[in-house]
Amino acid sequence: MTMEQLGYIAALLTTGSFLPQVLHTLKSRDTRSISLAMYLMFVSGTVLWLLYGWSIGSVPVVAANGITLLLSSVILAMKLRQVARDRG
Amino acid sequence: MTMEQLGYIAALLTTGSFLPQVLHTLKSRDTRSISLAMYLMFVSGTVLWLLYGWSIGSVPVVAANGITLLLSSVILAMKLRQVARDRG
């Protein structure tokens, strides 16, 4: 296995892992046990990983973080909705 | 800012993001809105990212994924405990 293939399998797993969480969250409409601070930090960090991956020319890092950013943003949006609902 | 510094800030944010989730989970003892499939895939993927980072010689990728592995394993363990409890 090449290093690049290893990077892609790693990317498929960590990026793909957010898909079942998105489905779980959309289905249950429950985000109570999800940490808001986690997703605020995670989404910001993913933006910086994108820039880092681009700057070192690592296609797996860029591809993984682009999709991760999309999926984790959905979870953050659902969490923010619940926080707003609980306060309102 | 150097590329390496950018990688470290990205790593601090995405890796650090699991700390509030660990604290949230330990405090609430609730993992119901957390997806088991997500953490099974995520922990496996983080192991592969470690290997990838090591193989391309990227210190930020190795450092980030080492700590992320520790923190996400705690969340996975708490989730597995709840799944076992709910079945038992």
Side-chain angles (χ1 to χ4, degrees), chain A residues 24-45:
Chain A
H24 190 283
T25 303
L26 289 175
K27 197 175 145 194
S28 67
R29 301 267 146 188
D30 176 24
T31 57
R32 253 168 267 270
S33 61
I34 286 174
S35 160
L36 174 62
M38 170 179 169
Y39 279 89
L40 285 174
M41 287 173 75
F42 191 84
V43 166
S44 314

Side-chain angles (χ1 to χ4, degrees), chain A residues 13-27:
Chain A
L13 280 167
T14 53
T15 292
S17 75
F18 285 86
L19 191 62
Q21 181 66 66
V22 166
L23 297 176
H24 190 283
T25 303
L26 289 175
K27 197 175 145 194

